Amino acid sequence: MIVVGLKALTAYSYTVSAYDAKGVLLLQSNSVTGTTLAFNTVTCAPAPTSSLVVNVKNTGAKGDGVTDDTAAIQAAINQVLGTGGTVLVPDGTYMINAKYQQGASIGLFIPYPGKLTFKMSSGTVLKTIGNAETGAYFTLRTNMAPDVNIIGGTIVGDRDTHIGTPSEYGMNLGIYGGSNIYVENVVSRDAVGDNFYLGTNNPTNVTFCSAVALNARRQNMSLITANGVVIKNSVF
């Protein structure tokens, strides 16, 4: 079991309970208490250069953990591209379709001209819909996009819900090319492939700060081609 969203230097207690098929409690373990380590988040992303804010709820996203919100969130991204503004993803669980279709990865895509902040609240989860892909796919990906901030929230891959043979290349967050990209206070977990992937087209000046990567099937981070990468105050 992996527990996320805990506060630093805080005591938490856990018990394990066993129930029969009718839901009747049979046994309960003794309580176990532990204190988390210190982890002071730091900020690194520059402020948005525009006051424009597009809330994904206003482009149709539900965040109910059931609805496929891929197209609705992409619509918000498309509105903000190139403006220096912010895509705001408030608390909720947003289901993301990352599988290939007609030779192209769906997922969430930030292309050129970039220039936006993708801001998730602390209670925001982008959850990959389980698929049967054996090739490359991404829950969230940038491509040749400069000046992009990806801040907050949790990205959950489909490691536990993948159908059939797992893909080595099922990535939660992929950064392809572009420059001046900041990933701040993002938790990425349960990727079929990698939680964070820096790949083709030599992304330049990429900074990860207060990022957390957990339970990837392949690697928590892959650096394939990149230049000027800074990783600080992060946990893998």
Side-chain angles (χ1 to χ4, degrees):
M1 179 180 70
I2 296 175
V3 181
V4 298
L6 304 181
K7 296 181 179 180
L9 295 175
T10 303
Y12 292 89
S13 296
Y14 298 93
T15 58
V16 177
S17 301
Y19 296 85
D20 65 15
K22 296 181 179 180
V24 177
L25 179 64
L26 299 177
L27 295 170
Q28 189 171 60
S29 70
N30 294 327
S31 177
V32 175
T33 300
T35 300
T36 54
L37 300 176
F39 182 73
N40 297 317
T41 58
V42 297
T43 60
C44 58
T49 57
S50 166
S51 61
L52 174 66
V53 176
V54 176
N55 189 317
V56 299
K57 293 290 185 74
N58 293 332
T59 55
K62 302 299 184 184
D64 57 12
V66 178
T67 305
D68 181 349
D69 284 321
T70 312
I73 297 177
Q74 188 64 50
I77 292 172
N78 294 345
Q79 283 189 34
V80 179
L81 271 176
T83 68
T86 300
V87 176
L88 178 62
V89 191
D91 287 356
T93 298
Y94 300 83
M95 305 302 293
I96 306 300
N97 180 2
K99 70 179 182 180
Y100 262 66
Q101 181 171 298
Q102 297 179 342
S105 178
I106 304 175
L108 299 175
F109 183 49
I110 303 174
Y112 184 86
K115 297 186 184 300
L116 62 78
T117 293
F118 188 84
K119 175 72 170 66
M120 295 180 276
S121 300
S122 60
T124 298
V125 177
L126 302 182
K127 188 172 183 179
T128 310
I129 298 171
N131 62 59
E133 294 299 321
T134 57
Y137 61 94
F138 299 85
T139 306
L140 174 62
R141 176 168 65 102
T142 71
N143 188 33
M144 304 303 292
D147 305 317
V148 173
N149 303 328
I150 300 171
I151 300 176
T154 299
I155 306 173
V156 180
D158 65 327
R159 177 174 180 166
D160 295 332
T161 57
H162 197 83
I163 302 166
T165 304
S167 169
E168 182 181 357
Y169 306 108
M171 313 304 188
N172 282 5
L173 173 59
I175 298 174
Y176 276 36
S179 59
N180 304 323
I181 299 167
Y182 294 85
V183 179
E184 177 183 300
N185 200 26
V186 174
V187 177
S188 181
R189 62 182 178 91
D190 302 337
V192 168
D194 301 340
N195 279 317
F196 298 122
Y197 180 89
L198 278 69
T200 309
N201 298 326
N202 196 40
T204 302
N205 297 336
V206 181
T207 301
F208 287 78
C209 59
S210 300
V212 178
L214 302 167
N215 200 41
R217 180 175 170 270
R218 190 175 79 158
Q219 297 177 163
N220 278 320
M221 174 177 280
S222 286
L223 300 176
I224 307 304
T225 61
N227 183 39
V229 177
V230 175
I231 303 169
K232 57 185 178 182
N233 204 59
S234 296
V235 175
F236 297 86

